[in-house]
Amino acid sequence: MPKTATAERVDRAALLEFLRPRHHAVLLTRRRGDGVQLSPVTVGVDAEGRLVVATYPQRAKVVNARRDPTVSLCVLSDEWDGPWVQVDGRAEVLDLPEALEPLVDYYRSISGEHPDWAEYRAAMTRQGKSLLRVTPTGWGPVATGGFPPEDAARS
């Protein structure tokens, strides 16, 4: 039986419920001049409903987001043909030391409790990590691939 494509419009609460268990995304930032930068990232959702990504301050995505905070993420399900959603938003970059506790929250949103938070904080400091935090300003429908509904019956 062919799979029928879906596109379900959701409110913010349903969007966040969809996002929380999904941690694979492609982040789009804008390069200086023309073009876009696409980066595969691991993403979490913080307590305020912002999408969060741990990164390094010298990465292209961070440089681009500092210059132009308008970003988009395509958040994917673990299974390749599972549901996905595009989220548009405004990014802010947190650097150490301001990023340290939000990086703890980032870890918790993806993996739960760390066995040694002091060790984790020391590692984030040693690595010079930054946190990219995206406040959603809009989103598309939660979608799945497949045949358009009108074509699925004929397939």
Side-chain angles (χ1 to χ4, degrees):
M1 187 72 176
K3 185 175 172 185
T4 302
T6 63
E8 180 186 354
R9 296 263 171 217
V10 295
D11 63 14
R12 184 178 175 84
L15 172 72
L16 295 176
E17 182 178 326
F18 177 82
L19 294 173
R20 280 192 176 95
R22 289 170 174 81
H23 306 298
H24 299 126
V26 178
L27 172 68
L28 179 146
T29 60
R30 286 153 182 82
R31 292 182 175 143
R32 182 181 310 278
D34 237 359
V36 297
Q37 168 73 35
L38 296 169
S39 303
V41 297
T42 301
V43 65
V45 178
D46 73 9
E48 286 77 35
R50 296 172 295 205
L51 288 85
V52 288
V53 175
T55 187
Y56 297 93
Q58 66 272 29
R59 297 285 194 225
K61 61 184 156 279
V62 173
V63 172
N64 292 340
R66 285 187 203 277
R67 189 185 60 259
D68 181 350
T70 304
V71 303
S72 296
L73 292 106
C74 180
V75 180
L76 306 164
S77 293
D78 285 342
E79 53 290 342
W80 177 245
D81 62 347
W84 58 275
V85 67
Q86 177 179 324
V87 179
D88 303 314
R90 303 280 300 168
E92 63 180 312
V93 179
L94 302 178
D95 295 309
L96 293 171
E98 181 187 16
L100 194 55
E101 291 311 307
L103 282 162
V104 168
D105 294 337
Y106 163 82
Y107 183 99
R108 278 190 176 121
S109 75
I110 295 169
S111 300
E113 292 301 314
H114 191 279
D116 185 339
W117 284 115
E119 175 188 308
Y120 176 82
R121 286 178 177 94
M124 295 300 97
T125 301
R126 192 171 49 254
Q127 295 171 24
K129 287 284 198 158
S130 291
L131 186 81
L132 188 65
R133 193 159 61 185
V134 178
T135 301
T137 57
W139 53 90
V142 172
T144 59
F147 289 97
E150 62 274 9
D151 292 344
R154 294 187 291 222
S155 299

